[in-house]
Amino acid sequence: AKPISPDFSECTTAKEPGGSTTINCCPPRSGTEITDFVASATQAYERKPAHDASETYIQQYSKAITKMKSLNLTDPRNFYQQANVHCVYCDEGYPQSGYPSQKIDVHNCWFFFPWHRMYLYFFERICKNLLDDDTFTLPFWQWDDPSGMVMPGLMYNDTTLSLYDCLRDPNHLPPTVIDLAFSRKDRMKPPIAPNIQVNYNLSTMYTQMITQSPTPQKFFGKPLRAGDEPDPGEGSIESMPHNGVHLWTGNPAQPNREDMGALYSGGRDPIFYAHHGNIDRMWYIYNNVLKGKNITDGDWLNSSFIFYNEEAKPVRVKIQDSLDITTLGYTYPDLTLEWKKYKP
Ligand code: C2O
């Protein structure tokens, strides 16, 4: 058996996408004793679509992010340090325990869904804690439905809120309809009529969730076991719309379409957490609506990652602890899935 875990004591600088400069995204070491995570929520609160959020909710969420941004930089719960937690797990900052020459990347492999679920879980816990409100939940950017196919502007495009980020594509702000299958080449594409783009997006959703996801491995991505070279291959949703939404949102005038267009900087844009809320919701829909099965391989279930909890303490989470979201204290509403009718 070869489950993976990071060598937490050996964080190194990471490579920037182009490979020219190195970036240090090792979060501060805080707390030495790593405890094992136990999923033990007794109540599940519903996450809500970002474009539908009330003014009160938006203010409250913005307040949580302001608080995260003003925590000391030596605190791993600080907003930029949380972005670094993503950076370090995507740009190969940690070696694999027992295999010092092999690095870890949680993308392009079967850890994509569960790692990001747990990352959002702790981010949500930190918000709850800073707001002193256990009922608080993260929003999701419902880009799979026509009603959510523009950037949720009231929440993310208001320069007075801490949810705003200036490093985004100025041509993709509301009311531009998103292209879920956006790729770097698409910069040259002539604009498509909004209603046609919506239809393309709905067929993209059908294709990725159903046609391209006939087996758990196709949905989750290829196995990565201890000792393996990272990046064996991504699952259907990771390639699209996950990558498409990242690239579409980031600023093309930046070298790597920062913030959202590059993995190392994605977490610096607060919209990242709404994008990944919907990615996580796709896993929920895959299980609960489409009746898709999870991977049962012990190497997947027993692999573990380390996150910082709301007390800034490191905790070790096994993939098997991420499978049931009600034990993590949240759930998703059962919304109409328009794309189910859009078989191309
Ligand atoms: Cu870890 Cu959307 O990437």
Side-chain angles (χ1 to χ4, degrees):
K2 288 179 171 293
I4 264 186
S5 68
D7 186 345
F8 199 56
S9 58
E10 289 295 328
C11 188
T12 57
T13 51
K15 299 185 299 287
E16 215 186 327
S20 46
T21 25
T22 49
I23 33 172
N24 184 356
C25 51
C26 298
R29 290 297 306 273
S30 139
T32 39
E33 211 183 313
I34 304 169
T35 54
D36 288 328
F37 174 75
V38 199
S40 57
T42 49
Q43 178 138 17
Y45 301 98
E46 200 167 86
R47 290 185 179 168
K48 298 268 174 32
H51 69 273
D52 234 12
S54 70
E55 185 54 32
T56 324
Y57 175 87
I58 293 173
Q59 289 300 332
Q60 195 196 19
Y61 188 28
S62 183
K63 192 170 122 194
I65 299 297
T66 304
K67 288 190 168 195
M68 279 176 90
K69 287 183 176 174
S70 43
L71 289 171
N72 198 295
L73 269 171
T74 58
D75 188 327
R77 301 168 307 161
N78 171 285
F79 183 79
Y80 301 99
Q81 298 299 3
Q82 283 294 300
N84 277 342
V85 169
H86 181 256
C87 175
V88 80
Y89 274 109
C90 73
D91 279 297
E92 309 186 2
Y94 293 127
Q96 303 176 10
S97 293
Y99 299 85
S101 61
Q102 289 294 18
K103 299 289 193 158
I104 291 186
D105 180 357
V106 296
H107 304 86
N108 265 300
C109 72
W110 66 3
F111 296 125
F112 174 73
F113 279 106
W115 186 89
H116 288 84
R117 170 169 288 176
M118 296 313 296
Y119 178 55
L120 255 67
Y121 166 80
F122 287 104
F123 191 87
E124 186 170 76
R125 297 286 305 173
I126 294 167
C127 290
K128 284 177 194 277
N129 186 268
L130 293 173
L131 291 169
D132 195 17
D133 178 2
D134 211 43
T135 69
F136 178 82
T137 53
L138 292 176
F140 56 87
W141 178 0
Q142 199 191 350
W143 35 245
D144 61 304
D145 188 77
S147 65
M149 288 184 189
V150 290
M151 181 182 293
L154 290 179
M155 194 176 293
Y156 294 105
N157 197 31
D158 178 343
T159 55
T160 67
L161 299 177
S162 61
L163 300 163
Y164 179 76
D165 184 31
C166 59
L167 291 184
R168 293 184 188 141
D169 190 333
N171 293 318
H172 290 168
L173 302 177
T176 311
V177 173
I178 196 170
D179 176 1
L180 295 182
F182 188 81
S183 72
R184 280 192 173 81
K185 307 188 281 292
D186 292 345
R187 248 187 280 184
M188 309 312 274
K189 224 163 66 176
I192 297 172
N195 58 325
I196 297 179
Q197 184 64 63
V198 166
N199 287 343
Y200 279 164
N201 288 342
L202 291 166
S203 341
T204 295
M205 287 311 305
Y206 186 101
T207 305
Q208 299 308 98
M209 287 294 286
I210 297 171
T211 323
Q212 301 290 344
S213 302
T215 61
Q217 188 173 124
K218 293 256 193 257
F219 181 74
F220 287 93
K222 297 229 171 97
L224 179 67
R225 301 175 207 275
D228 290 355
E229 194 70 44
D231 300 313
E234 62 196 355
S236 50
I237 292 294
E238 181 180 356
S239 79
M240 214 171 14
H242 168 259
N243 293 346
V245 173
H246 270 287
L247 288 170
W248 183 86
T249 308
N251 189 336
Q254 296 295 313
N256 305 295
R257 293 190 86 98
E258 284 89 349
D259 284 331
M260 276 285 276
L263 290 173
Y264 87 90
S265 55
R268 296 177 188 171
D269 186 338
I271 207 168
F272 176 100
Y273 306 90
H275 174 34
H276 272 278
N278 212 38
I279 292 289
D280 187 57
R281 184 173 153 257
M282 293 306 125
W283 180 11
Y284 171 85
I285 290 168
Y286 167 82
N287 285 156
N288 295 284
V289 180
L290 305 177
K291 305 293 174 204
K293 296 268 181 286
N294 288 332
I295 290 166
T296 49
D297 191 314
D299 287 346
W300 188 70
L301 295 167
N302 291 311
S303 282
S304 62
F305 297 98
I306 294 160
F307 295 91
Y308 287 101
N309 69 9
E310 65 276 17
E311 287 160 357
K313 302 235 170 71
V315 280
R316 179 183 298 281
V317 184
K318 281 191 173 180
I319 297 303
Q320 65 192 21
D321 294 320
S322 70
L323 306 183
D324 179 1
I325 61 172
T326 58
T327 67
L328 299 173
Y330 72 93
T331 182
Y332 291 106
D334 288 317
L335 303 168
T336 316
L337 302 172
E338 187 72 10
W339 49 260
K340 278 176 74 191
K341 303 194 294 247
Y342 277 74
K343 185 170 181 172

